[in-house]
Amino acid sequence: MTCFLASAFLLVLQTYAAPTELVQVGFDITLDKMDVHSGLLGNVSGDVPPSPPPGTSKKAPQSIIIGVRKGGTRALLEMLDIHPEVAAAATEVHFFDWDENYAKGFEWYRDLMPYSYPHQITVEKTPGYFTSALAPERICAMNSSIKLLLILRDPAERVISDYTQVYFNRLENHKPVQAIENLLVRNGALNIRYKAIQRSLYDIHMRNWLRHFPLEQIHIVDGDALIRNPLPELEKVERFLNLPPRIVSSNFYFNQTKGFYCIRSDGRERCLHESKGRPHPAVNSTVLQQLRLYLQEHNRTFFRLVKRTFDWQ
């Protein structure tokens, strides 16, 4: 369905939820809701909200960080929020990928955006959008000229990071855990139905986005480069969003204890939550090689789609 047709049915889609289970290329690619912060769905409080700053309003985002999960979306948003002309949404909204939220309508979505001044752009990030079958069409129906940010990292490393997050979440909730090899391999072969692998098939998901948006509207941030040296990647984002250059090297400092860059802005220093940058488990070398070999062809296809290569093993 094209953007034009999607727009025509937007009111209907806001009233009636689409099917709960999304299936693409023969397997489930939806985001496990148990793996996401539990406070994102409601965003309801009994407290009286404070009065907005004079001259501000809530606007639909002019840019969305669409993914990828465990690719560095939180780091990108926090670093971009340094910019005085950016107003960043505080939580992952999951409007375009969760049917129960999309059914609440556009006004509900806009109300979750931050107050911003006329000269600022609003940015939200929900990494589940990239692997959602319906998110590209729904975002296009809202704004076909929106600028999209996609941050990616080595897809094999992303699989391991995905496992690590779920592993610690299950430990914290006193649920049983499995070794990563037991999830990556089934009956002696790579388990390509494992959701962490499915999310790393960047070419499949990118094809879906390119059906609705030209490549020029999707800026790809190199997540591995952002970790090593944030400033060059953020300068590219500033140019893509037509923002004046305001982010500088002094906005970052390397935290030796955590092993990654932290942020210095407005006289304050802050690092990402302790759940970020957790050490990855050691993976059986044979299993890891199986995974990398499987991903190689998908990576090559992705490079052709985006007319760019990345230094992935």
Side-chain angles (χ1 to χ4, degrees), residues 28 30-36 69 98 166 195 199:
D28 178 19
T30 57
L31 184 65
D32 280 343
K33 296 176 187 178
M34 62 177 288
D35 299 337
V36 184
R69 171 178 159 104
W98 287 3
V166 176
K195 287 184 179 181
R199 295 182 187 117

Side-chain angles (χ1 to χ4, degrees), residues 124-135:
E124 78 118 321
K125 77 101 176 175
T126 300
Y129 291 162
F130 183 58
T131 55
S132 164
L134 295 179

Side-chain angles (χ1 to χ4, degrees), residues 16-191:
Y16 299 99
T20 302
E21 296 298 323
L22 306 181
V23 178
Q24 181 174 336
V25 293
F27 45 66
D28 178 19
I29 62 169
T30 57
L31 184 65
D32 280 343
K33 296 176 187 178
M34 62 177 288
D35 299 337
V36 184
H37 193 286
S38 59
L40 299 181
L41 275 176
N43 290 288
V44 175
S45 171
D47 297 333
V48 177
S51 299
T56 64
S57 62
K58 292 187 175 186
K59 298 178 292 189
Q62 291 99 323
S63 179
I64 298 177
I65 300 174
I66 58 174
V68 63
R69 171 178 159 104
K70 304 310 297 177
T73 58
R74 172 53 60 183
L76 177 60
L77 185 68
E78 293 278 354
M79 292 174 178
L80 191 56
D81 195 33
I82 295 169
H83 201 290
E85 295 187 15
V86 169
T91 62
E92 295 176 8
V93 182
H94 287 280
F95 179 64
F96 299 103
D97 60 333
W98 287 3
D99 296 330
E100 59 266 43
N101 282 352
Y102 194 67
K104 295 174 183 177
F106 180 72
E107 293 302 319
W108 178 87
Y109 174 64
R110 186 170 59 184
D111 194 51
L112 295 179
M113 295 301 108
Y115 285 101
S116 62
Y117 291 96
H119 69 279
Q120 291 180 308
I121 67 169
T122 299
V123 180
E124 78 118 321
K125 77 101 176 175
T126 300
Y129 291 162
F130 183 58
T131 55
S132 164
L134 295 179
E137 179 180 326
R138 289 171 170 178
I139 293 175
C140 184
M142 177 188 74
N143 181 0
S144 61
S145 61
I146 195 168
K147 294 192 173 186
L148 304 171
L149 294 169
L150 172 63
I151 180 167
L152 300 174
R153 64 190 296 195
D154 182 311
E157 291 299 317
R158 199 220 64 80
V159 169
I160 300 169
S161 184
D162 198 318
Y163 163 83
T164 302
Q165 175 174 306
V166 176
Y167 175 86
F168 279 101
N169 284 350
R170 294 184 68 84
L171 279 183
E172 290 167 3
N173 289 287
H174 309 290
K175 294 182 178 181
V177 295
Q178 297 186 61
I180 188 171
E181 290 83 359
N182 294 340
L183 296 170
L184 287 172
V185 177
R186 285 284 189 274
N187 300 319
L190 192 69
N191 177 22

